[in-house]
Amino acid sequence: LKASQLRGFFYAMSYTVYILFSNTLNNYYIGHTGDDVQERLRKHLANHDGFTARAKDWEIAYSEPFEAKEAAYRRELQIKGWKSKRVIQQLILKHSSAGSGHPDL
C-alpha cells in the first residue's frame, strides 16, 4: 500500500451515534461508539453499573454514522441537549424507512 492509502486505511474507523429505547423504563438512552452498534448494545444489556443497567430490554431505535469521533460526540450532545422525548421520537420516525415498532410514534 502507498502512504496515502495507509493514511486512509488507519483513519477509516467509523463512529456511530445511537439511541436506545426501553419499554420497561419508557425512556431513551443516547450514546456514541466506535464499536459495532450491535456489540455496544450487547454491552448495555450485560451486567454492569450505570443508567442502562436499570433495564434489560434496550433496543436500537436509531443510529447515525460519522467518520470522526468528534463529530459523533457533538451530535450526541446535540440530541441530548434537546431534552425532549417528542423531538427525539420525531428524529427516529423521520429516519425510519419502515416506520417504527415503538407504539408512541
Side-chain angles (χ1 to χ4, degrees), residues 36-97:
D36 172 64
V37 178
Q38 292 295 329
E39 174 62 17
R40 187 68 185 111
L41 174 61
R42 188 191 66 72
K43 291 177 182 177
H44 280 295
L45 295 172
N47 289 332
H48 69 288
D49 294 328
F51 179 79
T52 57
R54 297 177 9 191
K56 294 297 181 200
D57 65 339
W58 294 102
E59 295 181 357
I60 298 170
Y62 175 82
S63 65
E64 185 176 345
F66 291 87
E67 289 184 16
K69 182 176 184 174
E70 296 79 17
Y73 182 62
R74 280 193 307 272
R75 179 65 165 156
E76 174 188 349
L77 292 179
Q78 177 188 34
I79 295 170
K80 285 180 174 178
W82 294 341
K83 299 188 184 302
S84 168
K85 187 180 279 192
R86 184 180 58 76
V87 175
I88 291 169
Q89 289 171 336
Q90 288 174 345
L91 173 70
I92 293 166
L93 185 60
K94 178 181 174 184
H95 289 90
S96 174
S97 60

Side-chain angles (χ1 to χ4, degrees), residues 8-63:
F9 177 77
F10 288 112
Y11 296 105
M13 182 170 192
S14 65
Y15 297 86
T16 304
V17 170
Y18 60 91
I19 301 174
L20 304 180
F21 181 77
S22 165
N23 277 311
T24 301
L25 300 176
N26 190 29
N27 212 344
Y28 291 97
Y29 175 85
I30 302 155
H32 78 280
T33 185
D35 291 334
D36 172 64
V37 178
Q38 292 295 329
E39 174 62 17
R40 187 68 185 111
L41 174 61
R42 188 191 66 72
K43 291 177 182 177
H44 280 295
L45 295 172
N47 289 332
H48 69 288
D49 294 328
F51 179 79
T52 57
R54 297 177 9 191
K56 294 297 181 200
D57 65 339
W58 294 102
E59 295 181 357
I60 298 170
Y62 175 82
S63 65

